[in-house]
Amino acid sequence: FLGDSIPYGAMLSDSEKNYGEIMQDYYGSKIKVKNLAVNGYTTADLISLIQNEKNSEAISNADVICVSIGGNDILGVFLTVLFESLSSEDADPDLASSAKSLLTDPAKLSKFTQQLDAGANEAVTNIPVISDLLQKKNSDAKIIFQTIYNPFEATQDDPNIMFIRTLYTLQQKYGTEINSSIASLNGTETADIKALLSGSCWLTTNIMTYDIHPNQLGHIAIASELISMLSGGKKDTADLMPALTKSV
């Protein structure tokens, strides 16, 4: 497993399992999982990790390589801009209020979207590089790239609905650009995690507490999708989830 906080399992409790660990439990001694994901990694960071010789053996010996990357190239921009506004003299100390101010001020929003453009463009440029590097290091492995999902879903009774909807629209635009880059890769397969979690992020992520990461159910869902892919479609994602839920 390579990538960012998603395969790393950020925000899970000590008693919970990321989807790599869930898959290890499912397959048992048939497989050995090596998780090289790093919380906060961007596409540029992952290129450096792959090029680092200390990781060459694990990558070269893998039968399956699962990659989740690209979200931080745009999310990192949002967090950087947001915390810069929090550190200014006239900043509202409340995080949600500062985010609303950023997203509703035309001048701030224009500058923000320019930075998002740059972040998305870097991801779109780097993703084929990541794919090529992996295929050069291991031409025999099944390489699976996961699409990035859009966690910013809101219910009608959410007091911050306009704030969430703005984030949803921005993520939809820039996430689609990154996912299109993933889908166009040659020699790899695509696990459409965006489609998998669409409409259920209020249940499968921590977005209701303003955290975009998958919760335990989200990791179960991702593990189910990957296992289904590795079975060649012989095992259905929906059928796998109950069994994996019992394992955690």
Side-chain angles (χ1 to χ4, degrees), residues 16-121:
E16 294 177 319
K17 299 178 181 179
N18 61 47
Y19 57 87
E21 294 168 328
I22 294 170
M23 292 175 71
Q24 177 71 80
D25 288 346
Y26 177 82
Y27 288 111
S29 60
K30 294 178 182 179
I31 69 166
K32 181 179 179 182
V33 167
K34 180 75 171 179
N35 195 336
L36 298 179
V38 181
N39 194 19
Y41 256 28
T42 64
T43 52
D45 294 323
L46 183 53
I47 289 173
S48 297
L49 183 144
I50 295 168
Q51 292 174 328
N52 191 322
E53 286 302 315
K54 74 176 185 179
N55 300 312
S56 291
E57 183 178 358
I59 293 171
S60 299
N61 291 339
D63 295 305
V64 180
I65 301 173
C66 298
V67 184
S68 174
I69 201 70
N72 286 324
D73 290 66
I74 49 179
L75 180 64
V77 171
F78 173 67
L79 293 176
T80 298
V81 172
L82 183 59
F83 284 109
E84 282 177 352
S85 72
L86 282 172
S87 64
S88 65
E89 291 182 3
D90 59 346
D92 188 320
D94 177 70
L95 191 64
S97 296
S98 294
K100 290 179 193 176
S101 173
L102 169 65
L103 296 172
T104 55
D105 184 307
K108 290 181 181 178
L109 186 58
S110 176
K111 181 179 178 181
F112 178 42
T113 53
Q114 288 175 13
Q115 292 170 303
L116 285 173
D117 277 330
N121 288 338

Side-chain angles (χ1 to χ4, degrees), residues 161-208:
I161 189 166
M162 296 308 297
F163 160 51
I164 296 293
R165 279 181 175 170
T166 303
L167 289 175
Y168 179 87
T169 301
L170 291 171
Q171 175 72 11
Q172 196 78 345
K173 170 178 166 52
Y174 295 106
T176 296
E177 293 176 12
I178 294 171
N179 288 337
S180 295
S181 177
I182 290 170
S184 66
L185 294 173
N186 294 317
T188 68
E189 298 183 26
T190 303
D192 196 353
I193 304 305
K194 180 183 185 299
L196 176 72
L197 302 186
S198 181
S200 67
C201 283
W202 60 274
L203 182 64
T204 54
T205 76
N206 298 312
I207 194 59
M208 300 305 286

